[in-house]
Amino acid sequence: MGALLLALLPATQGGVDLINNTISALMHAEALPKIDLSKGVPDDAITLVVVPTLLLNEIQVRELFDELEARYLSNQDPNIHFGLLTDLPDTKARPLDDDSNPSPH
């Protein structure tokens, strides 16, 4: 069973490549306009850079903040802001029956 799954991997990659190449051949690509940001980000293009992540443990959270600080320190433009979009991972255990129905206090 495992060998069959491993054999399908190149086939699926080949299928994805075929579809991508076919669509690229049928549709005309247009170049995106360039923006000159050599003098900084203009006031009408304020940007929020968001890093999506799950909060797994305290060490990982500290690393996320260190990485966010590094991004800020390497891009200190007043019109570029940074943030984390976080969530907690799903629980491994099902909620107890008592947890699913909040009490009407």
Side-chain angles (χ1 to χ4, degrees), residues 3 13-14 44 62 97:
Q13 182 60 44
D44 64 342
R62 290 182 189 280
D97 288 338

Side-chain angles (χ1 to χ4, degrees), residues 2-97:
L4 177 63
L5 291 175
L6 287 175
L8 286 177
L9 228 117
T12 57
Q13 182 60 44
V16 169
D17 289 342
L18 178 67
I19 296 296
N20 287 341
N21 290 336
T22 303
I23 290 174
S24 296
L26 294 175
M27 302 184 84
H28 175 68
E30 296 181 21
L32 295 174
K34 293 184 180 180
I35 301 174
D36 181 16
L37 299 176
S38 61
K39 297 177 184 171
V41 177
D43 289 338
D44 64 342
I46 294 175
T47 302
L48 175 62
V49 179
V50 178
V51 179
T53 186
L54 290 176
L55 300 177
L56 302 175
N57 55 48
E58 184 178 345
I59 294 170
Q60 183 244 5
V61 170
R62 290 182 189 280
E63 289 173 355
L64 284 169
F65 278 103
D66 289 343
E67 292 169 5
L68 195 65
E69 180 181 24
R71 287 182 178 98
Y72 167 75
L73 292 174
S74 63
N75 298 287
Q76 290 189 14
D77 188 295
N79 287 330
I80 299 179
H81 306 280
F82 298 89
L84 295 173
L85 177 62
T86 62
D87 194 6
L88 297 173
D90 292 336
T91 182
K92 293 179 183 177
R94 286 187 61 201
L96 301 173
D97 288 338

